[in-house]
Amino acid sequence: MTIEEAQKTVDNWIKTYGVRYFNELTNMALLTEEVGELAKIMARKYGEQSFKAGEKHDLGDEMADVLWVLICLANQTGTDLTEAFARNIEKKTSRDKERHVNNPKLKQ
């Protein structure tokens, strides 16, 4: 699925099952909540914390939740994520093309 297809799929789902988009501020709060849930799993799986008994830890599902809400926000604000992501890669490439290669902290 392309990013464009994902944006259309989310929009169709919202219009079919979701009644309407939550407002942008609500979705921003939901995005923050979902990132927090992802962070909790990361802290337990890769950090020093341990999972509590019965606690779910589906990393992919939490990442998909983050992506879902981010796509909702993009749709609501008229943001073409394909175009925005391409511009972002260009920006990072021109800004950082030598930065990481020359970073002694990244040498092994």
Side-chain angles (χ1 to χ4, degrees):
M1 179 181 295
T2 66
I3 297 171
E4 179 182 7
E5 290 168 341
Q7 283 193 253
K8 287 178 182 176
T9 298
V10 169
D11 193 56
N12 288 335
W13 190 95
I14 294 293
K15 290 173 179 173
T16 303
Y17 303 106
V19 180
R20 65 171 177 79
Y21 285 93
F22 296 132
N23 69 44
E24 295 85 351
L25 187 55
T26 298
N27 272 336
M28 186 64 228
L30 290 171
L31 179 61
T32 303
E33 178 185 336
E34 295 299 349
V35 169
E37 292 174 8
L38 175 60
K40 182 171 70 171
I41 291 175
M42 295 295 291
R44 284 159 172 66
K45 185 168 183 164
Y46 300 103
E48 284 74 39
Q49 288 191 336
S50 59
F51 287 101
K52 297 173 185 169
E55 190 172 44
K56 76 172 191 166
H57 51 278
D58 186 337
L59 194 58
D61 187 54
E62 292 305 332
M63 288 181 181
D65 285 345
V66 169
L67 183 58
W68 176 274
V69 181
L70 184 63
I71 289 172
C72 285
L73 284 166
N75 287 350
Q76 291 175 276
T77 59
T79 301
D80 179 335
L81 284 175
T82 300
E83 181 182 306
F85 193 66
R87 283 193 321 268
N88 192 268
I89 290 171
E90 288 175 21
K91 175 186 77 174
K92 285 175 174 41
T93 301
S94 93
R95 181 189 66 201
D96 300 330
K97 63 184 167 197
E98 295 180 20
R99 176 177 168 220
H100 300 299
V101 172
N102 295 323
N103 182 348
K105 295 178 183 179
L106 298 177
K107 306 273 186 212
Q108 291 185 0

